[in-house]
């Protein structure tokens, strides 16, 4: 099984994740947001073959990626929609359905637009790193009512099709379990929503 290490960095408490194959010590680094010294320390015994950004928001890469990449020289990938939206130049594109190998283990890219146009999750065994697409308490922040609707539609087709015992690891704060959150998500979808609802929305509204 892939090992998952979490490091909380920067003023927004962004979660930087490291996935490691315990047999080959190859790793995939996700959102090296800030505090590059601590991120590099976390990667010290790991051969990081790729870096992935879950989405293009500053608090997920701006204060860490440059120095981390200058030291470990791993290529960085993200979804093309966020590369375009935020003017970032990835080394390789990450489209929906793409399989990344981390040593012996596959990790699947899942596109979840809404929080940003190119938000992605990385799905592996019964776990997923979801960036800011969803949190235990609600969907990720949205900037328009249309983006919230897109986010809900995306989550319905991705995260909430996963088995109940799937643990999801968000970009900030603690992980959640799909089965624990599903009732609140479904209740939210069933309730009447004001047409102008967006921003920091919780399942309880
Ligand atoms: Zn974000
Ligand atoms: Zn964030």
């Amino acid at each position: 099984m892939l090992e998952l290490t979490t490091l909380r960095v920067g003023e927004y408490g962004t979660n930087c994740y490291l996935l490691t194959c315990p047999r080959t010590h190859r790793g995939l680094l996700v959102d090296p947001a800030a505090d590059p010294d601590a991120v590099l320390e976390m990667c010290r015994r790991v051969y990081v073959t790729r870096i992935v950004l879950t989405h293009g928001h500053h608090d997920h890469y701006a204060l860490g990626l440059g120095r981390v990449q200058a030291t470990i020289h791993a290529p960085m990938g993200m979804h093309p929609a966020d590369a375009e939206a935020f003017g970032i130049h990835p080394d390789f594109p990450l489209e929906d359905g793409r399989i990344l190998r981390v040593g012996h283990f596959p990790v699947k890219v899942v596109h979840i637009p809404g929080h940003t146009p190119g938000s992605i999750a990385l799905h592996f065994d019964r776990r997923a790193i979801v960036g800011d697409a969803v949190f235990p308490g609600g969907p990720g922040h949205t900037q328009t009512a249309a983006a919230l609707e897109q986010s809900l539609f995306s989550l319905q087709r991705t995260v909430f099709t996963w088995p109940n015992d799937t643990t999801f690891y968000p970009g900030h704060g603690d992980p959640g379990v799909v089965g624990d959150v599903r009732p609140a998500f479904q209740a939210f979808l069933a309730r009447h929503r004001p047409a102008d609802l967006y921003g920091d929305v919780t399942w309880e509204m």
Side-chain angles (χ1 to χ4, degrees), residues 5-18 29-43 53 57-65 68 132 170-173:
T5 313
T6 307
L7 182 69
R8 208 156 280 184
V9 296
E11 65 172 307
Y12 300 101
T14 307
N15 289 322
C16 171
Y17 294 107
L18 178 65
L29 179 65
V30 183
D31 291 350
D35 206 348
D37 291 331
V39 173
L40 290 167
E41 175 64 23
M42 173 171 70
C43 300
L53 301 189
H57 280 160
H58 267 242
D59 61 311
H60 290 255
Y61 77 92
L63 299 178
L65 176 67
V68 167
D132 292 353
H172 310 268

Side-chain angles (χ1 to χ4, degrees), residues 72-153:
I72 62 178
H73 304 292
M76 182 276 279
M78 67 189 297
H79 194 278
D82 268 21
E84 183 172 338
F86 298 97
I88 304 170
H89 301 284
D91 301 303
F92 61 98
L94 283 179
E95 274 116 359
D96 186 59
R98 172 135 179 211
I99 306 288
L100 301 171
R101 292 230 145 241
V102 183
H104 291 291
F105 299 94
V107 171
K108 189 179 181 184
V109 175
V110 180
H111 186 205
I112 310 180
H115 174 69
T116 62
S119 282
I120 56 168
L122 297 174
H123 192 198
F124 50 100
D125 50 71
R126 290 283 168 101
R127 293 174 289 172
I129 294 169
V130 297
D132 292 353
V134 64
F135 296 87
H141 180 91
T142 42
Q143 291 196 316
T144 63
L148 176 63
E149 289 308 308
Q150 185 183 41
S151 165
L152 297 171
F153 181 72

